[in-house]
Amino acid sequence: MIDNLEYNTEREHLIIPEYGRHLQKMINYAKERPTKEERNEVAKAIISVMGNLQPHLRDVPDFQHKLWDQLFIMADFDLDVNSPYPKPLKEELQAHPEPLEYPQNFPKYRFYGNNIKTMIDVANTWEEGDLKEALIYTIANHMKKCFLNWNKDTVEDDVIFKHLYELSGGTINLKAEDEDLSDASTLMRNKKKYTATSNKKVHSKKSNTNRNRKRY
């Protein structure tokens, strides 16, 4: 009996393991039938067995079509039978998708992020007026906050104005303006306040969970 033992490592590779080895042997048997009539009969029987093994697929549209495609796949596309559906092509299933093109942005000041450049481009499309001026100063204050996140020390407004001028291609110049940006302590205090509020909500939620927990 020991001589007749078979290990999975020595057996044929299962193309779709979910159907098991016996179904794969049935497909191999169908491929060996000498006449097409016999192969058609065996193929229909195999499709019936596959449907019984996959009852959750009965509500899926084109259920039979899916089973026939899987039959040809497990037969390594080498089964000559009459299928009610177009036979799938091996080349199409094995074709690799086209590589996805990711945006390659290499900003000069990476600590500002890529969205800053998009915001600046949008600001350049707006008409001159109070709204555009408000947007520009909002962008500048956000840049200052991003700079402080990268460098915990203080930063002069002139540095932010210079970077904004470079990133906008010279279209936005706040160097000659008298208005100052928000104070560094104010920008960072708002961040700390938001963080503290978030931590407080998490702690409160955990406390309520512990309070409602049954004790035995």
Side-chain angles (χ1 to χ4, degrees), residues 153-172:
D153 298 332
T154 185
V155 57
E156 298 294 335
D157 291 351
D158 291 340
V159 175
I160 302 299
F161 295 157
K162 176 183 176 183
H163 293 172
L164 180 58
Y165 181 80
E166 293 181 14
L167 294 176
S168 64
T171 59
I172 300 178

Side-chain angles (χ1 to χ4, degrees), residues 7-18:
Y7 295 94
N8 286 336
T9 55
E10 299 175 349
R11 293 177 175 177
E12 180 185 4
H13 172 69
L14 294 179
I15 300 177
I16 303 181
E18 290 78 1

Side-chain angles (χ1 to χ4, degrees), residues 24-185:
Q24 185 67 51
K25 290 182 178 181
M26 294 173 62
I27 295 174
N28 294 339
Y29 173 81
K31 293 168 61 176
E32 295 173 354
R33 295 302 87 204
T35 64
K36 195 168 186 177
E37 290 74 13
E38 293 182 79
R39 292 194 296 270
N40 287 334
E41 292 181 5
V42 177
K44 292 178 182 178
I46 294 174
I47 291 294
S48 178
V49 174
M50 292 171 63
N52 293 332
L53 293 176
Q54 303 285 348
H56 61 282
L57 293 177
R58 295 191 183 278
D59 296 331
V60 177
D62 296 332
F63 170 67
Q64 290 291 323
H65 193 177
K66 182 181 181 68
L67 293 182
W68 279 96
D69 285 348
Q70 291 178 338
L71 173 63
F72 287 114
I73 293 173
M74 287 187 289
D76 198 20
F77 304 92
D78 187 24
L79 180 61
D80 184 18
V81 294
N82 294 329
S83 171
Y85 305 98
K87 184 177 179 180
L89 298 178
K90 185 175 183 179
E91 294 76 13
E92 293 182 356
L93 293 178
Q94 294 182 347
H96 295 284
E98 295 294 331
L100 185 62
E101 295 183 1
Y102 288 93
Q104 301 295 331
N105 295 323
F106 303 97
K108 183 177 181 180
Y109 306 107
R110 296 194 175 187
F111 44 85
Y112 291 133
N114 292 326
N115 291 332
I116 283 292
K117 187 63 173 66
T118 303
M119 295 168 64
I120 294 174
D121 293 340
V122 172
N124 285 329
T125 62
W126 286 22
E127 296 181 358
E128 298 295 333
D130 295 338
L131 288 178
K132 181 176 181 178
E133 183 179 357
L135 176 60
I136 291 175
Y137 273 96
T138 300
I139 294 174
N141 280 313
H142 184 67
M143 291 174 61
K144 186 173 182 178
K145 186 176 181 179
C146 292
F147 191 101
L148 292 172
N149 288 333
W150 170 70
N151 184 358
K152 299 302 181 182
D153 298 332
T154 185
V155 57
E156 298 294 335
D157 291 351
D158 291 340
V159 175
I160 302 299
F161 295 157
K162 176 183 176 183
H163 293 172
L164 180 58
Y165 181 80
E166 293 181 14
L167 294 176
S168 64
T171 59
I172 300 178
N173 187 4
L174 298 180
K175 299 177 183 179
E177 300 294 333
D178 295 333
E179 187 173 350
D180 297 329
L181 299 179
S182 299
D183 187 71
S185 58

